[in-house]
Amino acid sequence: MGRAFEYRKATKLKRWGHMAKTFTKIGKQIAIAVKAGGPEPDMNPALRACIANAKRENMPKDNIERAIKNAMGKDHADYKEVTYEGYGPHGVAIFVETLTDNTTRTVGDVRSVFNKFSGNLGTQGSLSFLFDHKAVFTFKKKDGLDMDELILDLIDYGVEDEYDEDEETGEVTIYGDPSSFSAIQKHLEADGFEVTGAEFTRIPNDLKDVTPEQREAIDKMVEKLEDFDDVQTVYTNMKPEE
């Protein structure tokens, strides 16, 4: 099995890591997509992906439409994607993804949590080698689908041959090269698949063993980071519970 598949199976975490205040966070993602490619989903693949994610999280249609409309306003904030990386208690790596319109505020908030938990906030990119960045797509499986054939069609986009299939929902999740995100999305849509989730994730490639007490401290730190509206996703290389 591939590392991404094994980690998901072991952790049983949400597909895109730890997420809090989901609607607020998705609203920011929609704003960035609209600013970059316009408000029409049919003409904006990134916006279509955001809408698919919003629906998957049961975000009301009115909220989605409001987020798109607000993003078109002249006074709407411009968000930047900024990552923060460092070590938390007991040497566990912490990777924080944010969307912010005020980097001074955001770095202050993130640093305060690292300091509170005796962590060490490093420079941007310093811990990226500990996490594999992946594009993640979830789609409805069609009758008669040959997954081996589909993977072969997508192999040029760095899609892994291991995939996750949910028999209850009839959905399949695949992992690919982040730089091929748009190409993978276009291929799936052109083949008539209903894409129900499209996002990026980071899979730790060097898991660290922790005791139950150490896990509790790390979980508390993650929760504090998630409390900030600017924080989108928090990843750690903490080994999953058995």
Side-chain angles (χ1 to χ4, degrees):
M1 292 185 181
R3 184 161 53 242
F5 180 82
E6 289 180 333
Y7 186 74
R8 276 201 57 200
K9 185 176 181 180
T11 59
K12 297 182 180 179
L13 292 175
K14 285 185 61 175
R15 188 169 43 259
W16 304 299
H18 304 269
M19 293 190 69
K21 301 181 180 179
T22 306
F23 292 173
T24 299
K25 297 175 187 298
I26 292 177
K28 289 185 178 182
Q29 295 169 4
I30 288 174
I32 286 182
V34 170
K35 289 287 186 180
E40 297 298 330
D42 290 343
M43 304 297 292
N44 187 338
L47 180 57
R48 288 201 301 277
C50 288
I51 292 174
N53 293 337
K55 290 180 177 178
R56 191 175 186 84
E57 297 295 339
N58 297 315
M59 187 173 182
K61 181 179 179 181
D62 289 347
N63 291 42
I64 298 173
E65 294 176 348
R66 188 181 308 114
I68 294 173
K69 183 178 179 179
N70 289 343
M72 298 168 59
K74 293 181 180 179
D75 297 330
H76 194 274
D78 288 326
Y79 295 107
K80 295 173 58 178
E81 298 178 81
V82 184
T83 62
Y84 299 95
E85 301 143 61
Y87 287 98
H90 317 296
V92 171
I94 309 287
F95 199 107
V96 185
E97 294 179 336
T98 72
L99 288 179
T100 178
D101 59 349
N102 186 328
T103 55
T104 301
R105 176 191 66 225
T106 305
V107 69
D109 288 341
V110 172
R111 181 178 287 115
S112 70
V113 176
F114 273 82
N115 289 341
K116 180 176 181 179
F117 286 86
S118 301
N120 179 27
L121 186 62
T123 58
Q124 190 174 31
S126 60
L127 297 186
S128 58
F129 71 96
L130 289 174
F131 297 86
D132 295 330
H133 197 199
K134 296 290 182 180
V136 186
F137 287 87
T138 300
F139 54 88
K140 292 288 186 179
K141 186 177 181 180
K142 296 190 293 187
D143 291 339
L145 172 65
D146 186 331
M147 280 301 301
D148 290 337
E149 182 177 333
L150 176 62
I151 295 297
L152 186 62
D153 289 342
L154 294 170
I155 197 168
D156 288 340
Y157 305 136
V159 171
E160 299 177 357
D161 55 3
E162 289 89 4
Y163 55 88
D164 190 10
E165 185 172 348
D166 189 326
E167 295 183 359
E168 291 186 5
T169 64
E171 294 179 326
V172 177
T173 299
I174 60 174
Y175 297 83
D177 188 335
S179 65
S180 299
F181 187 93
S182 296
I184 297 171
Q185 180 181 0
K186 182 178 180 181
H187 187 101
L188 292 173
E189 291 177 343
D191 279 359
F193 289 101
E194 179 187 351
V195 177
T196 56
E199 189 57 276
F200 298 101
T201 194
R202 296 182 189 272
I203 305 294
N205 55 49
D206 183 21
L207 296 175
K208 187 172 181 61
D209 284 309
V210 294
T211 66
E213 294 75 16
Q214 291 170 342
R215 183 181 304 280
E216 183 178 358
I218 294 297
D219 285 342
K220 287 181 179 179
M221 181 177 179
V222 170
E223 290 173 4
K224 289 294 184 182
L225 288 167
E226 290 177 333
D227 281 342
F228 298 122
D229 287 341
D230 293 339
V231 172
Q232 289 282 301
T233 318
V234 181
Y235 301 96
T236 80
N237 72 336
M238 182 168 56
K239 188 174 182 179
E241 291 183 279
E242 297 295 335

